[in-house]
Amino acid sequence: EKIAELVNNGRVEGIADIRDESDREGMRVVIELRRDAAAEAVLSELYRLTPLQSNFGTIMLCLAEGQPQQMSLRQMLASFLEFREQTLTRQYRHELTQAEQRRDIVAGLLVALENLDAVIDILRNAPDGSTAKAELQQRFDLSDRQGDAILAMPLRRLTGLERQRLQEEYEGLTTQIDRLNQLLSDRREFLKALKKELRGLKRQFGDPRRTRILSAAERAQEKERLAEIEAEVAEDDVVLEFTQQGYVRRSSPRAFGRRQAKAPAPSQSLEPVTDDIVTQIAPTTTAQSLLSFTSSGKAYSLEVGEIPATPRNSRGTPLVTLLPSSVRDDLETCATQFIYPDGAEQKDVILLTQRGRVKRLPLADFASLTARGLTALKLKEQDSLVDAFVVSSGAQLALVTSGGRLLRFALTPEQLGYTGRTAQGQTGIRISRREQLAGWALVPDGTAAGEASLLLMTARGYGKRIPLAKVRLGNRGDLGIQMMPFTTKTDQLIGLCLTDPEAALQVTTDHDRMAQIAASSVPKGDRSSSGKRVVAPTKGEKLTSVVLAPTASATEA
């Protein structure tokens, strides 16, 4: 069922037909491939994407000598053998004690039978049982246990057949005692018995092994084999489109270009939204990885080749459905994503939360994620992850609050150092109770020397551009500078963008309307100006977001 689901969703290619031929003899699934499909490549994908094969690690934690210890497999087997040896030793000693006591009783009964007339005479003339027992012990040199056994002996023991049975029992007990003494004194014989017992356990409880335990060398060979298979599969150039509602579309550059050519011309006025808005475009290849972050601060890795190719006129695939089922079970949403870049050793990831906290982690920490994902940061209540940036040395970050305060600071180790994955991050900009983080922009190294500006937009449609060179650098954790005086008390900032004069902007409202405007149409201003009304929402309508209109060339750069 899982294989059929993957084929129908386009996540596994090369399969022509699937037949279930299972019967009472066992499970059997037949997969027919297309003529141009590589069998090893398809099998590798099935191992990776379905429960056909599961890889898992084990923590060998156990109690040994009353203390919890983490052991290797060899140590655990040795400990088990030592435990079985101790158990068998106690068992044999117990059996030896029981056999010796029983043989002692049988020996006393045989003595009584050999001297039956004298025993009967003592019993007939004794005033009570205690006196009879004492006389028997004294006359025949018997133990206390043997004396009790003779007094309790039934009359049927006097028959010849019972005498023979007692004699055979005595001889059998003697043989058993000799055997037990040999096992306890001769380690070679003891180990033979231990092996025999373990073989018996295997016959009674054993079943065929369903797992393989791989050594480090075998795991390395397995990875090399899979890498060779993946290398044989051609890398295709693709374009990923991410939408406002959380969908992802994968298409070829040619199909993407045709769709862009047929797209309607941008409108300068607010128009109803008829389609899901594309917020990010990423040219990449099927061999690269997509790093996705949820709003709760967990990171998951997804191969671009696992994203289904988007058929014509399809809205795409919900990105969250391509992540592990635990993400859907926890009702998580994807906050942001980016293609895992090359040169991870020299790059970092900056995480930003809704309450204005920032955190720095090495990008290499996200290199080899398992299906369980990676917790990138811990969040306080009523806080969530809103964005993640890949940065190199010299980058800066600009943050703006809904009250109009803007803070720009350098992302240097002195301003923002590394913290552990369980840390909550550090204060980026101080936010009052009446405010919220309204926008943010990453300023790459060298941007300040160009014509870049920070564009501010309010909920009532007022906007202005402030040249980046006129926004002084501050320190992380500062209040920032008041950059936008509002024309009304109810207005507030809703976004911040780093733009140049040739850029285009997308603005959306709470009435599901959108407009695309040129950044050059927004006038430049200083910190004291209220800007110009570049978009006019209707009465009761407010702007909710402003973002750079995504382009393939801009994303690739």
Side-chain angles (χ1 to χ4, degrees), residues 144-211:
D144 188 69
R145 187 184 297 107
Q146 289 174 326
D148 289 333
I150 292 173
L151 291 178
M153 182 174 62
L155 291 176
R156 60 184 175 82
R157 290 287 189 186
L158 303 180
T159 64
L161 181 59
E162 286 295 324
R163 290 187 183 187
Q164 182 180 353
R165 287 178 178 174
L166 284 175
Q167 186 62 41
E168 291 175 353
E169 183 181 1
Y170 182 85
E171 294 173 355
L173 289 171
T174 301
T175 302
Q176 181 184 0
I177 290 171
D178 292 341
R179 173 61 177 167
L180 291 172
N181 281 322
Q182 183 183 18
L183 290 173
L184 291 172
S185 59
D186 189 341
R187 181 166 178 79
R188 181 184 294 273
E189 292 296 322
F190 180 87
L191 293 179
K192 287 182 181 179
L194 177 60
K195 289 180 182 179
K196 184 178 180 181
E197 191 233 12
L198 292 176
R199 291 192 185 102
L201 291 176
K202 180 179 179 180
R203 285 192 299 271
Q204 186 176 0
F205 301 107
D207 53 14
R209 172 172 287 280
R210 302 178 186 179
T211 59

Side-chain angles (χ1 to χ4, degrees), residues 404-432:
R405 290 185 291 109
L406 187 147
L407 175 64
R408 171 190 169 204
F409 61 92
L411 295 173
T412 60
E414 293 75 23
Q415 289 284 342
L416 184 64
Y418 294 118
T419 54
R421 287 193 292 107
T422 57
Q424 296 178 351
Q426 305 173 60
T427 301
I429 185 172
R430 281 187 275 174
I431 301 177
S432 66

Side-chain angles (χ1 to χ4, degrees), residues 464-467 470 523-529 531:
K464 68 178 179 181
R465 286 183 294 145
I466 302 176
K470 293 185 179 182
K524 291 185 178 181
D526 55 21
R527 55 179 295 189
S528 61
S529 67

Side-chain angles (χ1 to χ4, degrees), residues 249-250 259 308-316:
R249 295 199 288 255
R250 193 192 97 184
R259 188 164 58 251
T310 306
R312 182 179 298 178
N313 300 326
S314 171
R315 66 184 304 185

Side-chain angles (χ1 to χ4, degrees), residues 40-215:
E40 285 292 328
V42 174
L43 186 60
S44 176
E45 286 294 289
L46 295 180
Y47 279 148
R48 189 163 55 89
L49 298 176
T50 72
L52 190 64
Q53 173 178 294
S54 298
N55 296 326
F56 57 91
T58 59
I59 300 176
M60 310 287 276
L61 185 65
C62 62
L63 286 175
E65 300 179 358
Q67 297 294 327
Q69 297 181 26
Q70 187 170 331
M71 296 183 173
S72 65
L73 180 60
R74 184 182 181 88
Q75 290 172 330
M76 183 166 282
L77 290 174
S79 179
F80 172 74
L81 290 175
E82 183 180 353
F83 163 74
R84 291 305 306 162
E85 185 176 346
Q86 294 173 354
T87 302
L88 275 184
T89 301
R90 290 196 296 268
Q91 177 183 333
Y92 291 159
R93 286 176 179 168
H94 175 73
E95 292 177 358
L96 178 61
T97 301
Q98 295 292 322
E100 289 177 341
Q101 291 177 355
R102 178 60 185 169
R103 188 178 68 170
D104 185 50
I105 292 174
V106 173
L109 294 177
L110 290 174
V111 169
L113 291 177
E114 290 175 0
N115 301 278
L116 185 58
D117 293 337
V119 170
I120 293 175
D121 185 61
I122 292 174
L123 294 175
R124 184 184 295 119
N125 297 319
D128 51 45
S130 300
T131 304
K133 175 182 175 181
E135 290 186 12
L136 288 172
Q137 288 180 256
Q138 181 179 6
R139 182 166 179 178
F140 299 110
D141 192 20
L142 301 175
S143 65
D144 188 69
R145 187 184 297 107
Q146 289 174 326
D148 289 333
I150 292 173
L151 291 178
M153 182 174 62
L155 291 176
R156 60 184 175 82
R157 290 287 189 186
L158 303 180
T159 64
L161 181 59
E162 286 295 324
R163 290 187 183 187
Q164 182 180 353
R165 287 178 178 174
L166 284 175
Q167 186 62 41
E168 291 175 353
E169 183 181 1
Y170 182 85
E171 294 173 355
L173 289 171
T174 301
T175 302
Q176 181 184 0
I177 290 171
D178 292 341
R179 173 61 177 167
L180 291 172
N181 281 322
Q182 183 183 18
L183 290 173
L184 291 172
S185 59
D186 189 341
R187 181 166 178 79
R188 181 184 294 273
E189 292 296 322
F190 180 87
L191 293 179
K192 287 182 181 179
L194 177 60
K195 289 180 182 179
K196 184 178 180 181
E197 191 233 12
L198 292 176
R199 291 192 185 102
L201 291 176
K202 180 179 179 180
R203 285 192 299 271
Q204 186 176 0
F205 301 107
D207 53 14
R209 172 172 287 280
R210 302 178 186 179
T211 59
R212 282 197 306 148
I213 301 174
L214 301 181
S215 65

